[in-house]
Amino acid sequence: MHYQPDRGFQHPVASDITPRAVYEARRDCLRAVALGAAGTALGAWAGRDALASTAAPGKLAPLPGGRSSVSGATTMEKPTPYKDASTYNNFYEFGTDKSDPARYATTLKTKPWTVAIEGEVRKPGTFDIDSLLKLAPMEERIYRLRCVEGWSMVIPWVGWSLSELIKRVEPTGNAKFIQFVTLADTSQMPGLRSSVLEWPYVEGLRMDEAMHPLTLMAFGMYGEALPNQNGAPLRLVVPWKYGFKSSKSIVKIRFLEKQPRTSWEVAIPSEYGFYSNVNPKVDHPRWSQATERRIGEDGLLTKKRPTLMFNGYESQVGQLYAGMDLRKFY
Ligand code: MTE
């Protein structure tokens, strides 16, 4: 595998053998099957229509994923157009305006890239991006992503369950939490000059949350390598939590006994907690969490969608929080 500045990662993947059109047609077909026999004809047609407006431009290296067997890993909701998902971003290392990451993240150098594994594990060490790409079979997961600011998207990610990596590094009995540390390099990231957050951007999960099969280590979206502004070369996606838990451009994963600091909790403790599960019943002091605006569906008359408990993933993850007061542990 090698890297070309204008094409991202170049590595042999299934699409080198399967032409893109065939892969997309197969994906259409899977959607149609999932919609059920009665809706098959309409489903196939609607699926093709959705893909025409959502497809990636084909500028980055292809990175298709197989069908995921993880329960709840694919919503049938229409994916957000690629153009919106790749130009309306939060990545404060490149500025605080939604359009800043797409404009400035061109300076992010994603190769060479390594991820250090530290702390309470029997096998600490450093993985380079090539070995991470091959660590487990790539899957496509179509997840809703809900931002605390009141907007949401539906994104077809490509990656593998974080548990695949965790199992390989063998956590000790003391490992109760995981902290994700992301890149903070002033020569590549103009936003680091601002003190809006403490750098590097850090996030954390409890061990059982990190081990949950829905927790995804993502390397791609829309069948291609991640664009820089979406967290290349690898980022976390935790679909039942607010978007800020999904750390971008990770360089270190620390296994810890104690609950770690997170950037947003440190910056504004009165507004952000460690858990940050999507909860329509607990408003953020500045934004209601009861409804959401789906990016790409804007219009004066477009009704906001009701936000669902755990972002719609309650049947998969609700039991992780049994007995916890979710108003206290927000
Ligand atoms: N990761 C880093 N390193 N820096 C950030 O500023 N922003 C978070 C999260 N991950 C952020 C980050 C926030 S607030 C959101 S909503 C999501 O990334 C947005 O992901 P997206 O741009 O892919 O939609």
Side-chain angles (χ1 to χ4, degrees), residues 294-314:
R294 183 65 51 84
I295 299 297
E297 287 183 352
D298 304 326
L300 274 178
L301 300 175
T302 313
K303 257 185 87 185
K304 287 189 174 186
R305 290 164 180 260
T307 289
L308 304 173
M309 189 64 197
F310 295 109
N311 204 23
Y313 300 94
E314 184 167 18

Side-chain angles (χ1 to χ4, degrees), residues 66 68-70 73-75 139-143 155-161 213-216:
S68 178
S69 59
V70 173
T74 293
T75 168
E139 292 183 359
E140 183 174 72
R141 312 260 183 100
I142 307 182
Y143 284 161
I155 299 188
W157 301 105
V158 186
W160 33 253
S161 292
L214 283 175
T215 302
L216 185 73

Side-chain angles (χ1 to χ4, degrees), residues 34-57:
L35 280 164
T40 299
L42 184 65
W45 185 84
R48 197 164 12 255
D49 189 42
L51 271 171
S53 64
T54 58

Side-chain angles (χ1 to χ4, degrees), residues 204-273:
L205 292 175
R206 212 170 59 190
M207 194 54 126
D208 56 346
E209 298 176 323
M211 282 297 290
H212 194 281
L214 283 175
T215 302
L216 185 73
M217 189 55 91
F219 300 83
M221 59 185 224
Y222 301 79
E224 288 185 13
L226 284 173
N228 289 353
Q229 59 271 29
N230 289 80
L234 80 166
R235 52 109 30 103
L236 198 67
V237 188
V238 195
W240 70 95
K241 293 181 180 275
Y242 291 111
F244 63 86
K245 296 297 279 184
S246 296
S247 319
K248 295 175 166 181
S249 307
I250 295 167
V251 290
K252 195 184 286 181
I253 301 179
R254 303 172 66 213
F255 289 74
L256 305 168
E257 192 165 2
K258 300 224 166 68
Q259 185 176 309
R261 295 152 69 81
T262 74
S263 284
W264 284 103
E265 209 183 357
V266 169
I268 324 178
S270 57
E271 296 188 4
Y272 300 100

